[in-house]
Amino acid sequence: MPSYSVAELYYPDEPTEPKISTSSYPGPKAKQELEKLSNVFDTRAAYLLADYYKSRGNYIVDQDGNVLLDVYAQISSIALGYNNPEILKVAKSDAMSVALANRPALACFPSNDYGQLLEDGLLKAAPQGQDKIWTALSGSDANETAFKACFMYQAAKKRNGRSFSTEELESVMDNQLPGTSEMVICSFEKGFHGRLFGSLSTTRSKPIHKLDIPAFNWPKAPFPDLKYPLEENKEANKAEESSCIEKFSQIVQEWQGKIAAVIIEPIQSEGGDNHASSDFFQKLREITIENGILMIVDEVQTGVGATGKMWAHEHWNLSNPPDLVTFSKKFQAAGFYYHDPKLQPDQPFRQFNTWCGDPSKALIAKVIYEEIVKHDLVTRTAEVGNYLFNRLEKLFEGKNYIQNLRGKGQGTYIAFDFGTSSERDSFLSRLRCNGANVAGCGDSAVRLRPSLTFEEKHADVLVSIFDKTLRQLYG
Amino acid sequence: MPSYSVAELYYPDEPTEPKISTSSYPGPKAKQELEKLSNVFDTRAAYLLADYYKSRGNYIVDQDGNVLLDVYAQISSIALGYNNPEILKVAKSDAMSVALANRPALACFPSNDYGQLLEDGLLKAAPQGQDKIWTALSGSDANETAFKACFMYQAAKKRNGRSFSTEELESVMDNQLPGTSEMVICSFEKGFHGRLFGSLSTTRSKPIHKLDIPAFNWPKAPFPDLKYPLEENKEANKAEESSCIEKFSQIVQEWQGKIAAVIIEPIQSEGGDNHASSDFFQKLREITIENGILMIVDEVQTGVGATGKMWAHEHWNLSNPPDLVTFSKKFQAAGFYYHDPKLQPDQPFRQFNTWCGDPSKALIAKVIYEEIVKHDLVTRTAEVGNYLFNRLEKLFEGKNYIQNLRGKGQGTYIAFDFGTSSERDSFLSRLRCNGANVAGCGDSAVRLRPSLTFEEKHADVLVSIFDKTLRQLYG
């Protein structure tokens, strides 16, 4: 752990506290501009209108000059704070200009430095046991290309070396069997894996994410619903996890070899920050291996350090690594890691897109990884997370309207629940008025997602805003 | 039309001709590096290993120092040639650094300059009749978010103001009706719309793109198979198009109101550069309007100037503009244009992703559009296309092994067929050995996809390489 403040090193001019100067939030200038933007672009999900030139480190500045401590970091996708000097440096580099001006169709015309860029960046950061990569553009894209790799892997296994039949070649053009596939991806209740048609079929977070969109008839398995504090609910939680494992085994039997892969998040993020024990994931892994099912670990939100490990699933100590690990968000680049060469389809152009990845994002991912290593930011985040968790534990003591404080030992990946979604939403709105940008997930959870430059002093500011806000709301 | 050479203006150091110095293609250095890269990244689709630092304008330079005239331009996605000075300039700008270092979750935290950036760039470039935009990351993403907009539009129309039922809210979490949708997207035989699960369900280009991947049971309609030269086959082509329109009408009736939208390319690109007349598209548009079906025009490959119009569908003179027009590739940015406010779903967070668009790409799109306007590159491309078409017509005269030269009056969007795919593939390989990077599409077509900086002198070089290559192959 570094003995210096990385935030101060990066951001000598980082604000020391939030400043809200408008009487309502968002302020008048932001409202006016959002209104104008709404004529051409959907702005109804906008919480604030940001001035990214002025934002620094852990503080986001808005159009009215308000300064907020950002504990959401663009839905968990800013790794090192705003206007990080090392990212600004690579942004100004010739390598970046050349990558932006000559964006390649990577699979057909890779650049002569893409291999080295991957080796020095994304691949160096690979989870234990993974040594190959396929790059993509977003979390949804990463998961869907991972699904495709799994479907082709399973079909090749069944086909056992025989070439495509005439019937397969013809029927697939009509989207019919046997050319298409009746295999499925199994996901977990409350899981979130993206919003395009394949990924949305595995997403089980909220109806509003899914309504009116066609979906594949794919199965979902229960995810443990743990009770907190964990120490006081050991037996109940163990029983809950056993029951989920048993139901998963049943689903595997019911689908009779048709499950190509399972996809699971180490911590279900959009679905409410739902955790499970290492034991649960180890058992799940065993069942997938016994049944020839591939295991995709979706680290789009959990990956890249925030849980106190580079990859959250490294907490589990699996004896067999996952088959695929997907990533995006904090790395800006996206894609999946794998190790079995058979997850590369048996012919070229089967896993293919014009832009299968983007070197400009791979350049940024490399810098992010180098900075993480240089300043030991994963260890640092684990420490800061412990500090913050303890402070929150004390703050919430005796406050029965807050429950299920969770994420202990998981870095800054901390969450807690209010009794209802409207209580939670009031808390979040009031937080913004008090200078902290924080988000919810699931029905009534608050999730903390600061960047890896969030330190004890930022935790102190956050706790004091929480304190103030809870006093305003609950007296 | 500018009286100066835009290529010379941009690229005073552009090579004047190709130079192949290796005895085989790809050369030894490229082969060695590709071999190394293949340990971690699938390289089996790689045609060459590029040195993007050294590539200029219409010429791509490879790892062995070979210089090729590039008439494929990264699968039609380089608008203004390699290392365009204006794109390099915006790449080095503070706006770009800030966009790269602070990539926003656009729908939640838009930047205070995103509205203006859209107004000055992507929206200024909007097709006639379109004034709103939703941004995305790729062609597949653009088409799938367009599909989602269409499904939600049609569901809201049917729901007619009533709120979601309990049954809908519950069933959708199991991917079942009535919460999910039994509506469909109708696409056309040989169409290509992307490779994720929804877009791949509408893609009908080739089996290898689709095999073993689950697909929705969505309908496909026939696309006209025109005979060339057009002047000599007017009656037959008219009959062919009438028959396709009739079959489309039948499909509409058969699906009884379940077709949410059709998606169609102005020129089917991956599927073989298949054209249809304006009359065909006008009739199609009428049927969609009569039946309450939305029309998505997929301009991912045809858009941004190469056909001699900014948007290829502007050739059709529709009295009612398409409902949605999708774009990507040459604009680097991706998304869809629309005009009916009801294509914005009735609630926020229904059309949503962490990154719904990327300001760094919107900055590049703006520069591309400004340059297109400044140098009148669409008109210029129309002219160069006519010149090239005429030269090819002469070159192919009496060469019966080349058929169906097409794309007259469609800018540089020109194609022709060989008798078999292996003849076509031999031609393309030999072309690379002779210094031209050109690609195929469909079964046996060669498609030309230069950037908008391709001029008469480049056309001359290309025609002379074609001539040389055909002599080598056919004597």
Side-chain angles (χ1 to χ4, degrees), chain A residues 36-37 39-42 44-53 63 72 74 77 82-83 88 92-95 97-98 101-105 107-113 115 123 131-135 137-138 141 144 147-148 151 155 159 164 168-169 172-176 179-181 183 195-198 201 204-208 210-217 220 328-329 332 344-350 352-355 358 360-361 437, chain B residues 37 39-42 44-53 63 72 74-75 77 82-83 88 92-95 97-98 101-105 107-113 115-116 123 131-135 137-138 141 144 147-148 151 155 159 164 168-169 172-176 179-181 195-198 201 204-208 210-217 220 328-329 332 344-350 352-355 358 360-361 437:
Chain A
K36 200 178 143 204
L37 178 57
N39 294 322
V40 297
F41 190 77
D42 188 353
R44 293 166 302 163
Y47 295 114
L48 60 81
L49 189 72
D51 185 333
Y52 291 111
Y53 284 84
Q63 171 76 347
Y72 193 28
Q74 308 300 324
S77 67
Y82 292 110
N83 287 302
L88 289 173
K92 290 279 191 194
S93 70
D94 288 345
S97 304
V98 169
N102 308 290
R103 186 179 189 182
C108 290
F109 308 100
S111 59
N112 56 359
D113 51 8
L123 279 164
D131 63 359
K132 295 176 181 57
I133 195 167
W134 183 248
T135 46
L137 300 178
S138 68
D141 192 9
E144 297 211 0
F147 296 171
K148 288 179 73 175
F151 284 121
R159 207 173 270 120
F164 303 121
E168 284 169 341
L169 292 165
V172 76
M173 299 312 290
D174 292 320
N175 293 3
Q176 300 298 320
T180 182
S181 176
M183 294 198 83
R195 287 167 168 267
L196 301 177
F197 286 76
S201 292
R204 314 283 182 163
S205 44
K206 288 181 191 171
I208 200 69
K210 292 171 70 71
L211 281 158
D212 301 331
I213 310 299
F216 292 108
N217 181 25
K220 70 171 185 212
S328 180
K329 289 196 186 274
Q332 303 289 304
Q344 181 175 294
D346 52 6
Q347 288 185 43
F349 292 105
R350 300 191 70 187
F352 187 86
N353 290 101
T354 294
W355 296 321
D358 183 339
S360 73
K361 304 303 184 194
N437 183 43
Chain B
L37 178 57
N39 293 322
V40 297
F41 190 77
D42 188 353
R44 293 167 302 164
Y47 295 115
L48 59 81
L49 189 72
D51 185 333
Y52 291 111
Y53 284 83
Q63 171 75 347
Y72 195 26
Q74 308 301 324
I75 315 185
S77 67
Y82 292 111
N83 287 301
L88 290 173
K92 289 279 190 194
S93 70
D94 288 346
S97 304
V98 168
N102 309 289
R103 187 180 188 181
C108 289
F109 308 99
S111 59
N112 55 359
D113 51 7
Q116 200 61 48
L123 279 164
D131 62 0
K132 294 175 181 58
I133 195 166
W134 183 248
T135 45
L137 300 179
S138 68
D141 191 11
E144 296 211 359
F147 295 171
K148 287 180 72 174
F151 284 120
R159 205 172 272 121
F164 301 122
E168 284 169 339
L169 293 166
V172 78
M173 299 311 289
D174 292 321
N175 293 2
Q176 301 298 321
T180 182
S181 174
R195 287 167 168 265
L196 301 177
F197 285 76
S201 292
R204 313 283 182 163
S205 44
K206 287 181 190 169
I208 200 68
K210 292 170 69 73
L211 280 158
D212 301 331
I213 311 298
F216 292 108
N217 183 24
K220 70 171 184 212
S328 180
K329 288 195 184 275
Q332 304 291 304
Q344 181 175 294
D346 52 7
Q347 289 185 42
F349 292 105
R350 299 192 70 187
F352 187 86
N353 290 99
T354 294
W355 296 322
D358 183 338
S360 73
K361 304 303 184 193
N437 183 43

Side-chain angles (χ1 to χ4, degrees), chain A residues 179-249:
Chain A
T180 182
S181 176
E182 55 181 343
M183 294 198 83
V184 301
I185 306 288
C186 178
S187 58
F188 290 80
E189 274 174 24
K190 300 198 179 170
F192 182 94
H193 305 289
R195 287 167 168 267
L196 301 177
F197 286 76
S199 46
L200 190 61
S201 292
T202 61
T203 283
R204 314 283 182 163
S205 44
K206 288 181 191 171
I208 200 69
H209 299 159
K210 292 171 70 71
L211 281 158
D212 301 331
I213 310 299
F216 292 108
N217 181 25
W218 291 351
K220 70 171 185 212
F223 190 88
D225 184 9
L226 300 188
K227 292 194 184 347
Y228 293 88
L230 292 176
E231 303 76 40
E232 295 170 24
N233 293 279
K234 280 185 184 168
E235 284 312 303
N237 288 339
K238 204 171 169 182
E240 167 69 4
E241 292 196 337
S242 294
S243 152
C244 288
I245 286 290
E246 200 175 307
K247 280 182 197 146
F248 176 68
S249 293

Side-chain angles (χ1 to χ4, degrees), chain A residues 87 299 401:
Chain A
I87 298 182
E299 292 253 22
Y401 48 84

